[in-house]
Amino acid sequence: MSWFFRILMIAALAMVLGIFARANSGYVQIAVPQVFSLETSLNFFIIVLLAAFVVFYVLLRGACVLWRLPRRWRQRSMQKQRQEG
């Protein structure tokens, strides 16, 4: 039953965000003088920013897991030696 309420809340949040995105007519302009100028809608910029955050978070978590892998491997092998010996 709790899954139903979670899905209902996610759907309600999606509806509110959709209404906000449709009513929003703002834009973002990023300019570097004499090099380039980028102009995009605020909605697209927010989506790209959130996607970049998620990708960065996943990459950072993956790097942390890989960094700790040798220590975990050593601990498991030592634990197996203790159980066998």
Side-chain angles (χ1 to χ4, degrees):
M1 195 67 166
S2 68
W3 284 101
F4 175 72
F5 289 117
R6 288 181 185 173
I7 291 172
L8 189 63
M9 291 299 291
I10 290 171
L13 180 64
M15 286 175 42
V16 169
L17 288 175
I19 291 170
F20 171 74
R22 189 167 189 195
N24 185 5
S25 62
Y27 69 94
V28 175
Q29 182 176 11
I30 301 171
V32 177
Q34 299 177 355
V35 179
F36 76 93
S37 177
L38 174 71
E39 185 175 332
T40 185
S41 71
L42 182 61
N43 299 329
F44 181 72
F45 181 75
I46 291 171
I47 290 170
V48 169
L49 195 64
L50 287 173
F53 175 77
V54 168
V55 167
F56 180 72
Y57 178 78
V58 168
L59 289 174
L60 192 61
R61 290 288 294 178
C64 288
V65 168
L66 288 176
W67 183 264
R68 293 180 189 142
L69 195 59
R71 183 175 7 144
R72 287 184 181 181
W73 187 269
R74 223 177 302 119
Q75 287 174 348
R76 285 185 181 174
S77 66
M78 289 174 63
Q79 188 177 27
K80 283 183 181 181
Q81 286 177 357
R82 286 183 199 150
Q83 288 177 354
E84 291 174 1

